[in-house]
Structures are given as structure tokens and as C-alpha cells.
Amino acid sequence: MVRAYRIKVPKSMKRKRSEEEIVSEAADYRHLDREDEGKPEDVIGDMPGIPVMPPADGSKKSNVIFILDKAPLEIGKVGNKHVLLNSDEHANFLKKQSKDPSEYRPDIVHQALLAILDSPLTKAGRLQALYVRSTRHALIEIKPHVRIPRTFRRFCGLMVQLLEKQKITAVGNREKLLTLIKNPVTDHLPVNSRKIGLSYSSSKLVQVRDYVAAASDNVNLVFVVGAMAHGIIDKGFIDDFISVSNYPLSAACCISRICNALEQKWKIL
Ligand SMILES: C[S@@+](CC[C@H](N)C(=O)[O-])C[C@H]1O[C@@H](n2cnc3c(N)ncnc32)[C@H](O)[C@@H]1O
């Protein structure tokens, strides 16, 4: 059973945040420059990690990186509470702010993360890195061994904590498990990365299994999948742009296809 998340905030940190602070924080994360580095860390979360074993033979194996793009992760102050805005619970609030509720689907991010982190691929230690780029320019790094809450409500609570505090740290060893990091995401990718963007709108339709089977083991595969309901991923840094089905799929379904294909390629059962 997954342990409950605990928020341990030193008393000195328990200052009530003004609405303006939250609004400005939710508005844009482009300013993020890691000014907090070097300051003592706040232990704000208790997230047990799943131990990921290194390869049994100690050899260096190729791994995969995922980027979830255009993730609708936005905090709003509804009543007295700071919440992760979503179309199910906050449609009226969003309409009053002249925002389209159908764009607020953090459940897509939640499902996509579970598809990645639950996969045998990740359990076998072959997920090298996982990044989430929000529509508000927050760039989040998620450690591959993190256990994301399985219920949507708790996932929302975790995201609010993360976006407000800029990191979620394990209580035991203070490892940063989820962190807001500096843009652009390309600065965090290995040199020999092949950035593969996914979209139903791509004219290059591939069989994922054949596509990954043909990829060189010397190249780091980086899959960029949209975590939004509508629109298209940012193609600015993409090397290849593919469609993996004749049908529009959910992000989680696309991710499962990629994970399955890599599990076959790397003989992970
Ligand atoms: C809910 S869809 C977003 C819909 C968006 N109109 C699109 O197709 O890009 C979420 C993501 O799943 C991926 N996706 C959905 N269907 C796909 C397909 N047939 N081939 C490749 N990627 C797909 C894309 O990365 C997309 O951004």
C-alpha cells in the first residue's frame, strides 16, 4: 500500500501566501532560474521510492527518455483553496475567468505518468529521465523511481505542492524526487539524443515496434508526447515527427505502445 504523503513545512515557512503570489506563480514559470540552489532544503513531501536495480551484468545499456509536453498544470485559488484547475471540478470558475474548461485536463498527465512509471520498462531501470513541460512553462523533472499517487485527487494535491514549493523531497534521504528545473528541456538531454515527437497529425505513420527496432543502440531515444486534450506538441526541437496509429489515441495509449515496443527490443518481460 502506498504511504500517505506528509507535508512537513517548518513553522517559519507557514506564512499565508497572498493571492497575488499564487496568481503570479501560476501565470508563468519562465523566470525560474534556480535561485533557491544553495539554500537549505525544505522537506515538504514523503514519497517512498521504488528501488530500481542497476543492470544485473553491470553493462551500460541504452535507455529511454520521455517528455510530456503542454501539460495543463495550473493552480487557481477557488474559494480559500489553492487547487489544480481541472474541467470536472472547476468548470464554472474557469468560465468566469473566460477560460475554456476543456483545456484543463491534468488527468491526461496523471494517466500518462502512470503508463510510464508502471511499465516493466521503468521497473527494469531503463527509463533514464522523465520531464513534464506545462502550458505555463514550468519544466518538471520526475525521478524514474518515484511512486506517483494512484488517485487523481492525491495527484492534484501533489502537483499543487510541487508548483508552489518547486520541489518534492523524500523525507528519508532528502532526495529531490520531483523538481522544477530550468528551461529549456534540451539543456537536460544527452548529446546524442534523437527527439521523436508524436502526433496523430503527422504524415509519417510508423509501426512503433519496427521503428524502435531499427533505432541504433548508440542513440538516446527521447519521445515527446502531448499531455493535452487538443493541439499539437512543440515541434521546435524535434528530429522526427511520427504517428503511431491510424487513430487518434490517448497519450497513455501511445506511451504504452512505445514502452511495449522497447520492452520487446530489450527483451524485458
Ligand atoms: C489526446 S492526444 C492530443 C490530440 C492532438 N490533436 C494530437 O493528435 O496531437 C495526446 C497526445 O497523444 C499523442 N497521439 C495521439 N494519437 C496519436 C497518434 N495516432 N500517433 C502519434 N501520437 C499520437 C500525441 O502526442 C498527442 O499530443
Side-chain angles (χ1 to χ4, degrees):
M1 207 173 93
V2 178
R3 274 191 285 154
Y5 293 94
R6 263 190 297 134
I7 307 174
K8 279 189 174 180
V9 182
K11 274 187 185 154
S12 57
M13 291 289 296
K14 287 186 179 168
R15 175 175 68 88
K16 201 170 184 322
R17 297 158 60 83
S18 70
E19 191 167 349
E20 297 76 57
E21 278 177 292
I22 297 298
V23 169
S24 65
E25 201 170 308
D28 205 313
Y29 289 84
R30 269 178 287 208
H31 66 284
L32 188 65
D33 57 4
R34 307 191 82 173
E35 274 171 355
D36 62 336
E37 276 184 351
K39 293 181 187 173
E41 284 181 14
D42 309 316
V43 179
I44 58 170
D46 178 5
M47 299 194 58
I50 303 166
V52 176
M53 301 300 289
D57 58 5
S59 61
K60 192 177 177 329
K61 294 180 175 171
S62 50
N63 292 319
V64 66
I65 294 172
F66 278 102
I67 299 172
L68 300 180
D69 201 21
K70 297 200 175 167
L73 300 174
E74 192 179 322
I75 299 176
K77 191 173 183 192
V78 181
N80 290 328
K81 276 186 157 181
H82 299 129
V83 296
L84 193 68
L85 294 170
N86 70 82
S87 57
D88 279 343
E89 293 177 293
H90 312 119
N92 289 338
F93 173 88
L94 289 164
K95 280 182 205 157
K96 276 185 205 158
Q97 312 250 326
S98 308
K99 291 177 175 169
D100 178 0
S102 73
E103 302 287 343
Y104 289 76
R105 294 285 312 280
D107 56 298
I108 297 176
V109 189
H110 184 219
Q111 287 173 13
L113 287 175
L114 289 177
I116 295 168
L117 295 170
D118 279 350
S119 68
L121 185 81
T122 297
K123 291 179 180 178
R126 304 297 289 267
L127 175 65
Q128 184 169 326
L130 171 54
Y131 301 101
V132 179
R133 301 202 317 164
S134 87
T135 48
R136 295 290 180 169
H137 309 287
L139 176 61
I140 301 165
E141 179 180 12
I142 299 179
K143 289 285 162 65
H145 53 278
V146 154
R147 212 179 275 181
I148 289 290
R150 305 201 73 78
T151 67
F152 181 61
R153 222 178 108 210
R154 290 182 63 211
F155 171 73
C156 291
L158 182 73
M159 288 299 114
V160 171
Q161 261 191 69
L162 172 64
L163 293 172
E164 290 191 350
K165 303 289 181 189
Q166 304 199 351
K167 59 183 176 280
I168 300 286
T169 313
V171 165
N173 58 11
R174 299 192 140 213
E175 180 193 6
K176 286 182 187 172
L177 298 171
L178 295 95
T179 324
L180 259 64
I181 57 173
K182 196 178 173 184
N183 283 294
V185 69
T186 44
D187 282 0
H188 304 276
L189 302 178
V191 181
N192 58 339
S193 298
R194 183 161 178 75
K195 281 93 68 188
I196 304 146
L198 272 81
S199 176
Y200 173 57
S201 66
S202 167
S203 54
K204 183 174 175 181
L205 178 61
V206 303
Q207 169 71 258
V208 189
R209 203 178 28 192
D210 298 341
Y211 185 83
V212 301
S216 162
D217 275 341
N218 299 323
V219 170
N220 294 288
L221 296 180
V222 180
F223 288 97
V224 185
V225 180
M228 69 305 209
H230 317 288
I232 197 161
I233 57 161
D234 176 7
K235 288 202 274 180
F237 63 98
I238 295 301
D239 299 313
D240 202 4
F241 192 57
I242 62 169
S243 173
V244 297
S245 170
N246 277 320
Y247 304 96
L249 306 175
S250 66
C253 183
C254 289
I255 287 164
S256 295
R257 284 198 164 194
I258 296 164
C259 290
N260 290 341
L262 287 170
E263 286 154 13
Q264 284 201 1
K265 178 181 167 82
W266 292 333
K267 302 195 173 13
I268 297 165
L269 295 178

